[in-house]
Amino acid sequence: MTPAVFAVLDLDAARHNLSKVRSCAPTASIMAVVKANGYGHGLLRMAEALKNADAFAVARVDEGIELRKAGFNQRVVILEGFSNAEELDDVLFYHLEVVVHSLTQLVILESKTASDLCVVWLKLDTGMSRLGLTENEFALAYQRLTRCAAVKQPFNLMTHFANADDIYDNKTLKQISLFNETVAGLSGECSLANSAGVLGWETSLSDWVRPGIMLYGISPFPGSTGQQLGLKPVMTLQSRLIAVKQLNVDDTVGYGGSWTCSKPTVLGVVSIGYGDGYPRHAKVGTPVLVNCRRVQLIGRVSMDMITVDLGPGAYDKVGDPVTLWGDGLPIEEVAQYADTIPYALVCGITQRVRLIVRE
Ligand SMILES: *Cc1c(COP(=O)(O)O)cnc(C)c1O
């Protein structure tokens, strides 16, 4: 039995997107970012599809452990690093690699013996003001790490961009320069670029790139689609019509009666709602594909259902296929109508949406 709501995952598309990263950054190694359950696509499934990457990156230690327990023995970088000694023990036990972004972490590392060698990515804050050491702290931290018995030498160096998705913002160039000046003459491999860096900032490519969203076929840039960048969507969110009815002038639709019918039309009810991760704030007019035809969302998004205007005289019937985003309907467009970003849409898919791999 096909479930009413499911997300079809095209793993060939993921492999295609990985090859797109390779062609954008032919000399760089690739750290495929699969945090947050592979951006909602399933951690293990995406790791399997992207196993030819040079390393994986996840946000948290438990995500790294999950990869290890499933048998992935590639390099795995924990982007948030560890935040206490117990987490560092897990990092060492499971041979994970860690971002070191604070002096607190440094002190914990210094208390470890030489028997457990840890691969470290020392992070400089070049303007994001989230994780990372300041320029002033960096030189001292570098020296201390060099003398740290538990750290594999030479360790790696990294930073993260705050605004790389705006290709007109000079801030990224300033971040690149500050990083390059700070690490000049130091040994260790370097990493700066996220997806926006890979696609928009050639001078950021360096030794390692860290693409996330582009691997899922989604554009990191507002106002463009993955397809326009040569990417293919991995996730297509699908459902079906569960009711079709005639609407007459002055009928109101949905909770709050916020949409009023001004000319007779046919209403379609689709089984998808915010309980599935469809954005509750999707506005009237958000595109939806019914039988491969674009129609518009009307009324409010409910927990389990949305309503669409099928148009006067529409022939659609109960059971007909509906696409909410993905193949044929760019998620970037849907995100814009919902005042959100595509990252949040794919990550927000809930447990009850069955993920199905397209063979
Ligand atoms: C999430 C993340 C990435 C990937 O970012 P995308 O915009 O999805 O490509 C890269 N580096 C760090 C530190 C991250 O947290």
Side-chain angles (χ1 to χ4, degrees):
M1 188 200 73
T2 322
V5 180
F6 54 99
V8 181
L9 302 177
D10 181 352
L11 301 183
D12 280 335
R15 288 182 277 266
H16 164 88
N17 299 332
L18 181 62
S19 69
K20 171 76 182 172
V21 178
R22 287 241 185 262
S23 67
C24 291
T27 62
S29 298
I30 300 172
M31 199 185 287
V33 183
V34 290
K35 63 193 180 189
N37 194 30
Y39 287 52
H41 296 63
L43 171 64
L44 302 181
R45 200 178 289 106
M46 292 313 298
E48 180 59 29
L50 300 168
K51 63 184 174 198
N52 289 330
D54 304 288
F56 293 125
V58 290
R60 304 194 182 133
V61 175
D62 55 349
E63 296 173 310
I65 294 176
E66 193 180 341
L67 283 172
R68 287 288 181 255
K69 286 189 168 162
F72 290 97
N73 51 20
Q74 287 95 330
R75 295 178 65 176
V76 176
V77 180
I78 309 297
L79 295 170
E80 291 182 1
F82 57 91
S83 43
N84 54 50
E86 294 71 42
E87 272 190 351
L88 178 56
D89 287 339
D90 278 337
V91 162
L92 293 165
F93 183 79
Y94 288 101
H95 298 104
L96 304 170
E97 306 187 9
V98 280
V99 171
V100 170
H101 52 77
S102 72
L103 298 173
T104 313
Q105 289 175 300
L106 193 56
V107 172
I108 298 171
L109 261 178
E110 285 170 336
S111 72
K112 280 283 154 194
T113 59
S115 59
D116 336 288
L117 273 193
C118 189
V119 177
V120 164
W121 295 76
L122 183 61
K123 186 167 190 177
L124 175 70
D125 178 4
T126 51
M128 176 83 170
S129 301
R130 203 176 56 180
L131 297 183
L133 297 154
T134 64
E135 303 149 68
N136 298 332
E137 295 166 328
F138 194 81
L140 177 65
Y142 185 92
Q143 289 311 323
R144 281 170 63 180
L145 272 181
T146 306
R147 293 191 296 268
C148 193
V151 171
K152 186 165 187 289
Q153 308 289 337
F155 51 86
N156 310 287
L157 308 164
M158 67 176 287
T159 192
H160 189 50
F161 295 136
N163 268 34
D165 58 333
D166 181 353
I167 50 169
Y168 300 107
D169 190 342
N170 274 338
K171 184 177 176 95
T172 303
L173 293 178
K174 291 198 188 113
Q175 289 195 259
I176 296 170
S177 313
L178 176 57
F179 181 79
N180 289 340
E181 286 157 22
T182 310
V183 306
L186 303 181
S187 51
E189 295 189 321
C190 295
S191 177
L192 302 86
N194 51 5
S195 297
V198 170
L199 292 162
W201 303 89
E202 211 183 333
T203 57
S204 75
L205 298 177
S206 193
D207 301 313
W208 282 84
V209 293
R210 307 189 307 271
I213 198 76
M214 71 180 289
L215 293 172
Y216 306 91
I218 298 169
S219 169
F221 306 117
S224 80
T225 64
Q227 195 180 3
Q228 290 165 339
L229 298 166
L231 303 168
K232 294 181 181 168
V234 177
M235 179 193 291
T236 299
L237 181 61
Q238 300 203 292
S239 183
R240 53 166 102 113
L241 283 177
I242 57 167
V244 175
K245 62 186 66 178
Q246 181 63 39
L247 275 190
N248 300 309
V249 173
D250 290 342
D251 286 345
T252 65
V253 173
Y255 286 120
S258 60
W259 192 87
T260 307
C261 182
S262 59
K263 65 175 198 299
T265 189
V266 177
L267 171 97
V269 182
V270 182
S271 181
I272 189 105
Y274 61 80
D276 303 289
Y278 191 84
R280 198 182 89 81
H281 295 289
K283 289 199 263 288
V284 169
T286 302
V288 173
L289 284 188
V290 175
N291 285 313
C292 304
R293 176 175 101 257
R294 266 178 188 248
V295 299
Q296 297 190 339
L297 181 89
I298 56 176
R300 280 191 202 154
V301 172
S302 320
M303 185 185 291
D304 315 302
M305 286 171 264
I306 59 170
T307 39
V308 296
D309 182 358
L310 295 171
Y315 53 83
D316 310 281
K317 52 190 192 310
V318 168
D320 285 355
V322 177
T323 296
L324 288 315
W325 63 63
D327 194 15
L329 181 59
I331 192 171
E332 294 88 346
E333 248 186 87
V334 177
Q336 232 165 17
Y337 274 95
D339 287 327
T340 184
I341 55 174
Y343 293 76
L345 293 183
V346 284
C347 286
I349 285 293
T350 65
Q351 287 282 333
R352 78 171 171 177
V353 177
R354 185 98 69 84
L355 299 177
I356 295 175
V357 173
R358 176 187 291 158
E359 298 300 346

